[in-house]
mmCIF file of all heavy atoms in Angstrom:
data_model
loop_
_atom_site.group_PDB
_atom_site.id
_atom_site.type_symbol
_atom_site.label_atom_id
_atom_site.label_comp_id
_atom_site.label_asym_id
_atom_site.label_seq_id
_atom_site.Cartn_x
_atom_site.Cartn_y
_atom_site.Cartn_z
ATOM 1 N N ILE A 153 -4.508 28.073 0.866
ATOM 2 C CA ILE A 153 -4.787 26.879 0.046
ATOM 3 C C ILE A 153 -4.261 27.147 -1.358
ATOM 4 O O ILE A 153 -4.525 28.203 -1.947
ATOM 5 C CB ILE A 153 -6.292 26.533 0.070
ATOM 6 C CG1 ILE A 153 -6.629 26.001 1.462
ATOM 7 C CG2 ILE A 153 -6.637 25.520 -1.019
ATOM 8 C CD1 ILE A 153 -8.062 25.788 1.758
ATOM 9 N N LEU A 154 -3.479 26.201 -1.845
ATOM 10 C CA LEU A 154 -2.850 26.324 -3.161
ATOM 11 C C LEU A 154 -3.695 25.556 -4.183
ATOM 12 O O LEU A 154 -4.037 24.394 -3.960
ATOM 13 C CB LEU A 154 -1.439 25.723 -3.061
ATOM 14 C CG LEU A 154 -0.547 25.739 -4.284
ATOM 15 C CD1 LEU A 154 -0.300 27.158 -4.780
ATOM 16 C CD2 LEU A 154 0.796 25.064 -3.935
ATOM 17 N N VAL A 155 -4.045 26.256 -5.264
ATOM 18 C CA VAL A 155 -4.840 25.638 -6.336
ATOM 19 C C VAL A 155 -3.957 25.578 -7.579
ATOM 20 O O VAL A 155 -3.458 26.601 -8.042
ATOM 21 C CB VAL A 155 -6.117 26.455 -6.632
ATOM 22 C CG1 VAL A 155 -6.923 25.793 -7.752
ATOM 23 C CG2 VAL A 155 -6.966 26.617 -5.373
ATOM 24 N N ILE A 156 -3.761 24.367 -8.105
ATOM 25 C CA ILE A 156 -2.844 24.179 -9.234
ATOM 26 C C ILE A 156 -3.602 23.602 -10.425
ATOM 27 O O ILE A 156 -4.298 22.588 -10.298
ATOM 28 C CB ILE A 156 -1.718 23.213 -8.841
ATOM 29 C CG1 ILE A 156 -0.960 23.776 -7.641
ATOM 30 C CG2 ILE A 156 -0.769 22.969 -10.003
ATOM 31 C CD1 ILE A 156 -0.029 22.775 -7.011
ATOM 32 N N ILE A 210 5.050 24.445 -6.599
ATOM 33 C CA ILE A 210 4.789 23.604 -5.424
ATOM 34 C C ILE A 210 5.920 23.763 -4.410
ATOM 35 O O ILE A 210 5.695 23.867 -3.201
ATOM 36 C CB ILE A 210 4.604 22.128 -5.853
ATOM 37 C CG1 ILE A 210 3.296 21.991 -6.623
ATOM 38 C CG2 ILE A 210 4.640 21.189 -4.653
ATOM 39 C CD1 ILE A 210 3.189 20.721 -7.438
ATOM 40 N N GLY A 214 4.055 25.255 -1.605
ATOM 41 C CA GLY A 214 3.442 24.058 -1.020
ATOM 42 C C GLY A 214 3.712 23.909 0.468
ATOM 43 O O GLY A 214 2.842 23.466 1.222
ATOM 44 N N ALA A 217 1.342 25.887 2.594
ATOM 45 C CA ALA A 217 -0.091 25.731 2.334
ATOM 46 C C ALA A 217 -0.703 24.724 3.310
ATOM 47 O O ALA A 217 -0.058 23.754 3.712
ATOM 48 C CB ALA A 217 -0.313 25.267 0.898
ATOM 49 N N GLN A 218 -1.966 24.982 3.668
ATOM 50 C CA GLN A 218 -2.685 24.049 4.549
ATOM 51 C C GLN A 218 -3.513 23.053 3.744
ATOM 52 O O GLN A 218 -4.169 22.172 4.303
ATOM 53 C CB GLN A 218 -3.583 24.828 5.520
ATOM 54 C CG GLN A 218 -2.849 25.395 6.731
ATOM 55 C CD GLN A 218 -1.866 26.482 6.380
ATOM 56 O OE1 GLN A 218 -2.203 27.398 5.636
ATOM 57 N NE2 GLN A 218 -0.655 26.386 6.895
ATOM 58 N N GLY A 219 -3.490 23.211 2.428
ATOM 59 C CA GLY A 219 -4.200 22.261 1.565
ATOM 60 C C GLY A 219 -3.871 22.571 0.115
ATOM 61 O O GLY A 219 -3.499 23.705 -0.208
ATOM 62 N N ILE A 220 -3.982 21.549 -0.719
ATOM 63 C CA ILE A 220 -3.716 21.726 -2.154
ATOM 64 C C ILE A 220 -4.864 21.107 -2.942
ATOM 65 O O ILE A 220 -5.291 19.977 -2.658
ATOM 66 C CB ILE A 220 -2.374 21.081 -2.558
ATOM 67 C CG1 ILE A 220 -1.232 21.795 -1.836
ATOM 68 C CG2 ILE A 220 -2.182 21.101 -4.075
ATOM 69 C CD1 ILE A 220 0.153 21.299 -2.174
ATOM 70 N N ILE A 221 -5.357 21.888 -3.910
ATOM 71 C CA ILE A 221 -6.341 21.371 -4.873
ATOM 72 C C ILE A 221 -5.618 21.346 -6.210
ATOM 73 O O ILE A 221 -5.073 22.370 -6.633
ATOM 74 C CB ILE A 221 -7.571 22.302 -4.945
ATOM 75 C CG1 ILE A 221 -8.273 22.371 -3.579
ATOM 76 C CG2 ILE A 221 -8.533 21.847 -6.054
ATOM 77 C CD1 ILE A 221 -9.359 23.446 -3.487
ATOM 78 N N ILE A 222 -5.592 20.204 -6.848
ATOM 79 C CA ILE A 222 -4.846 20.129 -8.113
ATOM 80 C C ILE A 222 -5.646 19.401 -9.188
ATOM 81 O O ILE A 222 -6.171 18.316 -8.960
ATOM 82 C CB ILE A 222 -3.456 19.469 -7.932
ATOM 83 C CG1 ILE A 222 -2.700 19.469 -9.272
ATOM 84 C CG2 ILE A 222 -3.533 18.075 -7.332
ATOM 85 C CD1 ILE A 222 -1.213 19.224 -9.147
ATOM 86 N N ASN A 223 -5.744 20.059 -10.346
ATOM 87 C CA ASN A 223 -6.159 19.365 -11.564
ATOM 88 C C ASN A 223 -4.912 19.305 -12.434
ATOM 89 O O ASN A 223 -4.543 20.288 -13.067
ATOM 90 C CB ASN A 223 -7.287 20.111 -12.289
ATOM 91 C CG ASN A 223 -7.740 19.342 -13.521
ATOM 92 O OD1 ASN A 223 -7.062 18.426 -13.987
ATOM 93 N ND2 ASN A 223 -8.890 19.731 -14.064
ATOM 94 N N PRO A 224 -4.239 18.162 -12.467
ATOM 95 C CA PRO A 224 -2.956 18.093 -13.180
ATOM 96 C C PRO A 224 -3.113 17.979 -14.696
ATOM 97 O O PRO A 224 -2.099 17.862 -15.398
ATOM 98 C CB PRO A 224 -2.316 16.819 -12.622
ATOM 99 C CG PRO A 224 -3.198 16.355 -11.490
ATOM 100 C CD PRO A 224 -4.542 16.918 -11.748
ATOM 101 N N LEU A 234 5.943 15.827 -11.029
ATOM 102 C CA LEU A 234 4.855 16.531 -10.327
ATOM 103 C C LEU A 234 4.432 15.724 -9.095
ATOM 104 O O LEU A 234 4.272 16.265 -7.995
ATOM 105 C CB LEU A 234 3.674 16.710 -11.297
ATOM 106 C CG LEU A 234 2.447 17.436 -10.737
ATOM 107 C CD1 LEU A 234 2.789 18.858 -10.347
ATOM 108 C CD2 LEU A 234 1.309 17.416 -11.755
ATOM 109 N N ARG A 235 4.274 14.439 -9.287
ATOM 110 C CA ARG A 235 3.921 13.577 -8.152
ATOM 111 C C ARG A 235 4.976 13.659 -7.042
ATOM 112 O O ARG A 235 4.642 13.792 -5.861
ATOM 113 C CB ARG A 235 3.783 12.132 -8.624
ATOM 114 C CG ARG A 235 3.623 11.156 -7.470
ATOM 115 C CD ARG A 235 3.775 9.748 -7.946
ATOM 116 N NE ARG A 235 4.027 8.847 -6.833
ATOM 117 C CZ ARG A 235 3.355 7.724 -6.628
ATOM 118 N NH1 ARG A 235 2.384 7.380 -7.423
ATOM 119 N NH2 ARG A 235 3.661 6.949 -5.624
ATOM 120 N N ASP A 236 6.259 13.578 -7.424
ATOM 121 C CA ASP A 236 7.319 13.621 -6.412
ATOM 122 C C ASP A 236 7.313 14.942 -5.648
ATOM 123 O O ASP A 236 7.566 14.973 -4.441
ATOM 124 C CB ASP A 236 8.689 13.410 -7.072
ATOM 125 C CG ASP A 236 8.954 11.938 -7.400
ATOM 126 O OD1 ASP A 236 8.136 11.081 -7.008
ATOM 127 O OD2 ASP A 236 9.970 11.657 -8.061
ATOM 128 N N ALA A 237 7.035 16.044 -6.363
ATOM 129 C CA ALA A 237 7.003 17.365 -5.700
ATOM 130 C C ALA A 237 5.877 17.403 -4.673
ATOM 131 O O ALA A 237 6.024 17.993 -3.589
ATOM 132 C CB ALA A 237 6.817 18.470 -6.744
ATOM 133 N N LEU A 238 4.749 16.775 -4.993
ATOM 134 C CA LEU A 238 3.603 16.763 -4.071
ATOM 135 C C LEU A 238 3.837 15.781 -2.927
ATOM 136 O O LEU A 238 3.428 16.031 -1.788
ATOM 137 C CB LEU A 238 2.330 16.370 -4.829
ATOM 138 C CG LEU A 238 1.828 17.394 -5.853
ATOM 139 C CD1 LEU A 238 0.775 16.762 -6.761
ATOM 140 C CD2 LEU A 238 1.256 18.629 -5.161
ATOM 141 N N ALA A 239 4.531 14.679 -3.236
ATOM 142 C CA ALA A 239 4.690 13.601 -2.249
ATOM 143 C C ALA A 239 5.498 14.045 -1.032
ATOM 144 O O ALA A 239 5.346 13.479 0.049
ATOM 145 C CB ALA A 239 5.348 12.393 -2.901
ATOM 146 N N MET A 240 6.358 15.058 -1.195
ATOM 147 C CA MET A 240 7.183 15.463 -0.040
ATOM 148 C C MET A 240 6.425 16.349 0.949
ATOM 149 O O MET A 240 6.936 16.673 2.009
ATOM 150 C CB MET A 240 8.494 16.105 -0.497
ATOM 151 C CG MET A 240 8.395 17.370 -1.270
ATOM 152 S SD MET A 240 10.055 17.984 -1.722
ATOM 153 C CE MET A 240 10.120 17.627 -3.471
ATOM 154 N N LEU A 241 5.181 16.723 0.603
ATOM 155 C CA LEU A 241 4.418 17.609 1.480
ATOM 156 C C LEU A 241 3.504 16.800 2.398
ATOM 157 O O LEU A 241 2.988 15.756 1.999
ATOM 158 C CB LEU A 241 3.565 18.566 0.635
ATOM 159 C CG LEU A 241 4.330 19.400 -0.385
ATOM 160 C CD1 LEU A 241 3.358 20.195 -1.249
ATOM 161 C CD2 LEU A 241 5.312 20.339 0.313
ATOM 162 N N ALA A 242 3.276 17.326 3.590
ATOM 163 C CA ALA A 242 2.384 16.630 4.527
ATOM 164 C C ALA A 242 0.943 17.121 4.376
ATOM 165 O O ALA A 242 0.011 16.483 4.864
ATOM 166 C CB ALA A 242 2.866 16.861 5.952
ATOM 167 N N THR A 243 0.756 18.232 3.696
ATOM 168 C CA THR A 243 -0.562 18.856 3.586
ATOM 169 C C THR A 243 -1.514 18.016 2.708
ATOM 170 O O THR A 243 -1.072 17.357 1.758
ATOM 171 C CB THR A 243 -0.386 20.291 3.012
ATOM 172 O OG1 THR A 243 -1.576 21.010 3.204
ATOM 173 C CG2 THR A 243 -0.022 20.297 1.547
ATOM 174 N N PRO A 244 -2.829 18.013 3.021
ATOM 175 C CA PRO A 244 -3.747 17.193 2.208
ATOM 176 C C PRO A 244 -3.890 17.701 0.775
ATOM 177 O O PRO A 244 -3.978 18.910 0.542
ATOM 178 C CB PRO A 244 -5.081 17.272 2.957
ATOM 179 C CG PRO A 244 -4.964 18.378 3.924
ATOM 180 C CD PRO A 244 -3.505 18.630 4.169
ATOM 181 N N ILE A 245 -3.911 16.759 -0.159
ATOM 182 C CA ILE A 245 -3.996 17.077 -1.591
ATOM 183 C C ILE A 245 -5.285 16.477 -2.134
ATOM 184 O O ILE A 245 -5.543 15.285 -1.940
ATOM 185 C CB ILE A 245 -2.781 16.469 -2.328
ATOM 186 C CG1 ILE A 245 -1.494 17.110 -1.820
ATOM 187 C CG2 ILE A 245 -2.924 16.610 -3.842
ATOM 188 C CD1 ILE A 245 -0.243 16.294 -2.106
ATOM 189 N N ILE A 246 -6.070 17.303 -2.804
ATOM 190 C CA ILE A 246 -7.290 16.798 -3.448
ATOM 191 C C ILE A 246 -7.091 16.906 -4.955
ATOM 192 O O ILE A 246 -6.803 17.984 -5.473
ATOM 193 C CB ILE A 246 -8.552 17.630 -3.089
ATOM 194 C CG1 ILE A 246 -8.622 17.956 -1.596
ATOM 195 C CG2 ILE A 246 -9.812 16.888 -3.557
ATOM 196 C CD1 ILE A 246 -8.845 16.792 -0.726
ATOM 197 N N GLU A 247 -7.261 15.783 -5.633
ATOM 198 C CA GLU A 247 -7.143 15.732 -7.097
ATOM 199 C C GLU A 247 -8.528 15.969 -7.697
ATOM 200 O O GLU A 247 -9.495 15.311 -7.300
ATOM 201 C CB GLU A 247 -6.605 14.351 -7.491
ATOM 202 C CG GLU A 247 -6.471 14.145 -8.976
ATOM 203 C CD GLU A 247 -6.002 12.719 -9.309
ATOM 204 O OE1 GLU A 247 -5.380 12.056 -8.446
ATOM 205 O OE2 GLU A 247 -6.286 12.266 -10.430
ATOM 206 N N VAL A 248 -8.605 16.919 -8.616
ATOM 207 C CA VAL A 248 -9.902 17.269 -9.223
ATOM 208 C C VAL A 248 -9.817 17.106 -10.733
ATOM 209 O O VAL A 248 -8.819 17.493 -11.351
ATOM 210 C CB VAL A 248 -10.282 18.735 -8.878
ATOM 211 C CG1 VAL A 248 -11.519 19.187 -9.661
ATOM 212 C CG2 VAL A 248 -10.529 18.901 -7.384
ATOM 213 N N SER A 263 -3.975 7.295 -12.681
ATOM 214 C CA SER A 263 -3.467 8.558 -12.141
ATOM 215 C C SER A 263 -2.230 8.266 -11.307
ATOM 216 O O SER A 263 -2.296 7.450 -10.378
ATOM 217 C CB SER A 263 -4.522 9.232 -11.255
ATOM 218 O OG SER A 263 -3.925 10.300 -10.525
ATOM 219 N N VAL A 264 -1.121 8.935 -11.634
ATOM 220 C CA VAL A 264 0.080 8.777 -10.799
ATOM 221 C C VAL A 264 -0.004 9.680 -9.566
ATOM 222 O O VAL A 264 0.822 9.580 -8.656
ATOM 223 C CB VAL A 264 1.395 9.045 -11.591
ATOM 224 C CG1 VAL A 264 1.537 8.060 -12.742
ATOM 225 C CG2 VAL A 264 1.501 10.489 -12.085
ATOM 226 N N ILE A 265 -1.000 10.556 -9.543
ATOM 227 C CA ILE A 265 -1.189 11.486 -8.415
ATOM 228 C C ILE A 265 -2.081 10.840 -7.341
ATOM 229 O O ILE A 265 -1.871 11.049 -6.140
ATOM 230 C CB ILE A 265 -1.826 12.807 -8.910
ATOM 231 C CG1 ILE A 265 -1.020 13.424 -10.071
ATOM 232 C CG2 ILE A 265 -1.995 13.805 -7.768
ATOM 233 C CD1 ILE A 265 0.411 13.804 -9.750
ATOM 234 N N ALA A 266 -3.067 10.048 -7.770
ATOM 235 C CA ALA A 266 -4.067 9.514 -6.831
ATOM 236 C C ALA A 266 -3.460 8.804 -5.615
ATOM 237 O O ALA A 266 -3.947 8.986 -4.498
ATOM 238 C CB ALA A 266 -5.036 8.596 -7.574
ATOM 239 N N PRO A 267 -2.384 8.005 -5.779
ATOM 240 C CA PRO A 267 -1.854 7.310 -4.601
ATOM 241 C C PRO A 267 -1.314 8.239 -3.513
ATOM 242 O O PRO A 267 -1.198 7.820 -2.355
ATOM 243 C CB PRO A 267 -0.721 6.441 -5.182
ATOM 244 C CG PRO A 267 -1.067 6.278 -6.621
ATOM 245 C CD PRO A 267 -1.731 7.554 -7.019
ATOM 246 N N ILE A 268 -0.980 9.481 -3.884
ATOM 247 C CA ILE A 268 -0.470 10.386 -2.841
ATOM 248 C C ILE A 268 -1.507 11.480 -2.509
ATOM 249 O O ILE A 268 -1.231 12.375 -1.714
ATOM 250 C CB ILE A 268 0.905 11.000 -3.222
ATOM 251 C CG1 ILE A 268 0.890 11.650 -4.604
ATOM 252 C CG2 ILE A 268 1.989 9.940 -3.163
ATOM 253 C CD1 ILE A 268 1.028 13.112 -4.563
ATOM 254 N N ALA A 269 -2.700 11.380 -3.120
ATOM 255 C CA ALA A 269 -3.757 12.360 -2.835
ATOM 256 C C ALA A 269 -4.636 11.846 -1.702
ATOM 257 O O ALA A 269 -4.789 10.642 -1.508
ATOM 258 C CB ALA A 269 -4.605 12.602 -4.082
ATOM 259 N N ARG A 270 -5.215 12.775 -0.972
ATOM 260 C CA ARG A 270 -6.150 12.387 0.090
ATOM 261 C C ARG A 270 -7.457 11.882 -0.520
ATOM 262 O O ARG A 270 -8.077 10.948 -0.029
ATOM 263 C CB ARG A 270 -6.394 13.613 0.976
ATOM 264 C CG ARG A 270 -7.265 13.397 2.150
ATOM 265 C CD ARG A 270 -6.602 12.410 3.115
ATOM 266 N NE ARG A 270 -7.548 12.074 4.162
ATOM 267 C CZ ARG A 270 -7.683 12.750 5.297
ATOM 268 N NH1 ARG A 270 -6.886 13.764 5.574
ATOM 269 N NH2 ARG A 270 -8.589 12.414 6.178
ATOM 270 N N GLY A 271 -7.856 12.524 -1.619
ATOM 271 C CA GLY A 271 -9.079 12.109 -2.297
ATOM 272 C C GLY A 271 -9.112 12.644 -3.700
ATOM 273 O O GLY A 271 -8.234 13.418 -4.111
ATOM 274 N N GLN A 272 -10.128 12.208 -4.436
ATOM 275 C CA GLN A 272 -10.240 12.563 -5.851
ATOM 276 C C GLN A 272 -11.693 12.911 -6.147
ATOM 277 O O GLN A 272 -12.599 12.216 -5.689
ATOM 278 C CB GLN A 272 -9.814 11.356 -6.681
ATOM 279 C CG GLN A 272 -9.624 11.612 -8.152
ATOM 280 C CD GLN A 272 -9.404 10.305 -8.911
ATOM 281 O OE1 GLN A 272 -10.207 9.381 -8.806
ATOM 282 N NE2 GLN A 272 -8.319 10.227 -9.662
ATOM 283 N N ILE A 273 -11.909 13.982 -6.899
ATOM 284 C CA ILE A 273 -13.254 14.359 -7.358
ATOM 285 C C ILE A 273 -13.191 14.383 -8.873
ATOM 286 O O ILE A 273 -12.376 15.113 -9.447
ATOM 287 C CB ILE A 273 -13.665 15.745 -6.813
ATOM 288 C CG1 ILE A 273 -13.728 15.730 -5.281
ATOM 289 C CG2 ILE A 273 -15.001 16.184 -7.414
ATOM 290 C CD1 ILE A 273 -14.002 17.083 -4.638
ATOM 291 N N ALA A 284 -14.016 20.479 -3.355
ATOM 292 C CA ALA A 284 -12.700 20.200 -2.757
ATOM 293 C C ALA A 284 -12.369 21.283 -1.726
ATOM 294 O O ALA A 284 -11.875 20.981 -0.625
ATOM 295 C CB ALA A 284 -11.628 20.158 -3.850
ATOM 296 N N LEU A 285 -12.653 22.533 -2.076
ATOM 297 C CA LEU A 285 -12.363 23.633 -1.147
ATOM 298 C C LEU A 285 -13.207 23.494 0.122
ATOM 299 O O LEU A 285 -12.689 23.685 1.233
ATOM 300 C CB LEU A 285 -12.623 24.988 -1.837
ATOM 301 C CG LEU A 285 -12.382 26.230 -0.986
ATOM 302 C CD1 LEU A 285 -10.954 26.271 -0.428
ATOM 303 C CD2 LEU A 285 -12.662 27.502 -1.802
ATOM 304 N N TRP A 287 -14.277 20.823 1.513
ATOM 305 C CA TRP A 287 -13.722 19.753 2.350
ATOM 306 C C TRP A 287 -12.498 20.260 3.114
ATOM 307 O O TRP A 287 -12.356 20.017 4.313
ATOM 308 C CB TRP A 287 -13.353 18.535 1.493
ATOM 309 C CG TRP A 287 -12.914 17.377 2.329
ATOM 310 C CD1 TRP A 287 -13.710 16.447 2.922
ATOM 311 C CD2 TRP A 287 -11.568 17.074 2.719
ATOM 312 N NE1 TRP A 287 -12.943 15.568 3.645
ATOM 313 C CE2 TRP A 287 -11.627 15.927 3.548
ATOM 314 C CE3 TRP A 287 -10.330 17.639 2.452
ATOM 315 C CZ2 TRP A 287 -10.492 15.347 4.106
ATOM 316 C CZ3 TRP A 287 -9.193 17.060 3.016
ATOM 317 C CH2 TRP A 287 -9.282 15.933 3.830
ATOM 318 N N LEU A 288 -11.628 20.991 2.391
ATOM 319 C CA LEU A 288 -10.417 21.508 3.052
ATOM 320 C C LEU A 288 -10.791 22.505 4.147
ATOM 321 O O LEU A 288 -10.188 22.511 5.229
ATOM 322 C CB LEU A 288 -9.486 22.157 2.024
ATOM 323 C CG LEU A 288 -8.728 21.170 1.122
ATOM 324 C CD1 LEU A 288 -8.066 21.902 -0.035
ATOM 325 C CD2 LEU A 288 -7.676 20.395 1.923
ATOM 326 N N GLU A 291 -11.965 20.626 7.148
ATOM 327 C CA GLU A 291 -10.800 20.034 7.837
ATOM 328 C C GLU A 291 -10.072 21.089 8.648
ATOM 329 O O GLU A 291 -9.652 20.826 9.779
ATOM 330 C CB GLU A 291 -9.827 19.438 6.804
ATOM 331 C CG GLU A 291 -10.258 18.122 6.249
ATOM 332 C CD GLU A 291 -10.166 16.994 7.265
ATOM 333 O OE1 GLU A 291 -9.061 16.682 7.720
ATOM 334 O OE2 GLU A 291 -11.220 16.419 7.592
#
Side-chain angles (χ1 to χ4, degrees):
I153 289 172
L154 181 59
V155 180
I156 301 168
I210 291 163
Q218 279 67 48
I220 296 182
I221 298 170
I222 182 163
N223 182 345
L234 180 63
R235 171 192 163 130
D236 282 354
L238 292 167
M240 63 180 107
L241 304 174
T243 194
I245 297 160
I246 316 292
E247 178 183 337
V248 172
S263 168
V264 299
I265 306 299
I268 52 112
R270 183 64 188 271
Q272 191 188 54
I273 298 175
L285 179 57
W287 186 85
L288 286 168
E291 283 290 297

